[in-house]
Amino acid sequence: GAVVSQHPSWVICKSGTSVKIECRSLDFQATTMFWYRQFPKQSLMLMATSNEGSKATYEQGVEKDKFLINHASLTLSTLTVTSAHPEDSSFYICSARWGQGFSNQPQHFGDGTRLSIL
Amino acid sequence: QQQVKQSPQSLIVQKGGISIINCAYENTAFDYFPWYQQFPGKGPALLIAIRPDVSEKKEGRFTISFNKSAKQFSLHIMDSQPGDSATYFCAASRGGATNKLIFGTGTLLAVQP
């Protein structure tokens, strides 16, 4: 149980294009989803937290107009990297959890999306 | 205060040996401490987690030791196997598992056959 699926797993695109990454919870309803970025041989850095039906909360230093997050349903969140440039190349990982408040439910992670901007 | 410091950066262990990874934190409001395992090109997978009211938790070959007064916790992998070779991250959050995780810097473990 608690499977989180990300799509695509790998994408290469030209500089200036926008890229959309999907994150789905397959067997549970995700009240909260998190988006992380991970550079090679580095740790995961939280970009934003999204709750179903409300605006995402971005971490300090993350451009909300650059990284658009939509959590339209309890099983789907999307991250759109707008006008992507080579410095946006990274490994993007989502996680999801269910339950409200102090629910003791852990975050479950997807397998990530490797984004390469040429 | 939001940082979680992790050591060592890399670790080489012989098959059958014990792998030990350490983490330290400053924020006493943290109340949930998970460990994640990540293989190359994959997302992290939850291994084991502990709360500060417990000093030790064991699940199979994996044990977390927690020292609240020292603000330190560690992961012990007993009888390490080549299949355990991966990057391990400790993390911490406050407000339980629901709140955002602060990750350590990661430890690359190599278990030699």
Side-chain angles (χ1 to χ4, degrees):
Chain A
V3 178
V4 176
S5 175
Q6 265 185 257
H7 178 80
S9 57
W10 190 25
V11 58
I12 303 174
C13 61
K14 293 181 179 180
S15 182
T17 59
S18 293
V19 179
K20 180 183 283 189
I21 302 169
E22 292 187 348
C23 177
R24 293 181 184 273
S25 57
L26 299 186
D27 52 1
F28 66 98
Q29 293 185 325
T31 50
T32 307
M33 286 186 169
F34 303 83
W35 286 95
Y36 296 83
R37 182 165 53 182
Q38 185 179 32
F39 292 107
K41 299 188 186 301
Q42 293 190 22
S43 189
L44 286 80
M45 297 301 296
L46 180 65
M47 299 175 67
T49 302
S50 73
N51 292 293
E52 185 265 338
S54 60
K55 289 184 179 180
T57 301
Y58 291 81
E59 294 299 301
Q60 192 172 9
V62 177
E63 301 175 58
K64 61 177 70 175
D65 295 330
K66 174 78 171 175
F67 300 98
L68 301 179
I69 293 172
N70 185 297
H71 192 163
S73 76
L74 284 171
T75 60
L76 174 65
S77 177
T78 60
L79 167 68
T80 301
V81 184
T82 61
S83 186
H85 293 284
E87 58 266 28
D88 298 322
S89 298
S90 188
F91 193 49
Y92 292 86
I93 310 172
C94 73
S95 72
R97 54 160 291 275
W98 71 93
Q100 299 286 348
F102 192 85
S103 70
N104 284 332
Q105 297 302 322
Q107 293 183 32
H108 298 278
F109 286 81
D111 271 344
T113 296
R114 175 79 56 197
L115 175 62
S116 297
I117 308 298
L118 304 177
Chain B
Q1 258 213 339
Q2 284 292 90
Q3 283 186 329
V4 178
K5 296 181 180 179
Q6 184 171 346
S7 63
Q9 188 174 6
S10 62
L11 180 62
I12 300 175
V13 173
Q14 295 297 315
K15 179 182 176 181
I18 303 173
S19 303
I20 302 174
I21 305 171
N22 302 297
C23 284
Y25 64 97
E26 289 294 325
N27 190 342
T28 55
F30 287 146
D31 61 1
Y32 175 72
F33 304 90
W35 284 90
Y36 285 86
Q37 178 190 57
Q38 186 180 31
F39 292 105
K42 297 292 185 181
L46 178 65
L47 266 179
I48 187 172
I50 199 168
R51 298 192 182 279
D53 54 345
V54 177
S55 61
E56 185 175 282
K57 183 175 181 180
K58 183 177 181 179
E59 289 184 3
R61 295 186 295 111
F62 302 95
T63 300
I64 298 181
S65 297
F66 186 83
N67 186 328
K68 188 174 181 178
S69 61
K71 291 184 285 186
Q72 295 175 347
F73 58 110
S74 60
L75 175 70
H76 291 61
I77 305 175
M78 312 299 287
D79 187 26
S80 298
Q81 299 296 313
D84 296 331
S85 298
T87 300
Y88 292 81
F89 293 95
C90 63
S93 72
R94 61 177 185 174
T98 65
N99 216 325
K100 60 184 182 182
L101 292 168
I102 307 299
F103 280 87
T105 49
T107 296
L108 179 60
L109 172 65
V111 181
Q112 294 185 335

